[in-house]
Amino acid sequence: MRARQTAAALAAGSVAALVAACASSGGGVGGGDAVELLFDGETLDGWVNVNGGASTWTARDGVIVCSGDPICVLRTEEMYTNFELELEYK
């Protein structure tokens, strides 16, 4: 059980870092050269919880947090192409 909790915490930390730093250049529908932040730091607006429970993904203290139960994914509502991704994680 401890290994599962540790794996979930690591996955949640990685996702939070990815989302917090993720921006799109020439992003979703309409394109353009503007930078579009994918996470507002407060809500999961613009994100879709795929095959997860209502409380699996939450926004807390400026990051996206995953409980790890059930195992699922979180994706953006829009599809993006021609983007640059920058991130930092620990």
Side-chain angles (χ1 to χ4, degrees), residues 12-79:
S14 296
V15 169
L18 169 83
V19 172
C22 190
S24 172
S25 176
V29 178
D33 289 12
V35 171
E36 180 178 346
L37 296 178
L38 300 180
F39 178 53
D40 65 12
E42 298 176 4
T43 68
L44 295 178
D45 291 347
W47 291 89
V48 177
N49 180 348
V50 181
N51 296 327
S55 62
T56 301
W57 296 97
T58 56
R60 183 174 54 214
D61 299 325
V63 298
I64 293 178
V65 178
C66 178
S67 69
D69 188 36
I71 297 172
C72 59
V73 297
L74 186 68
R75 66 168 178 82
T76 59
E77 288 177 344
E78 292 188 40
M79 292 184 67

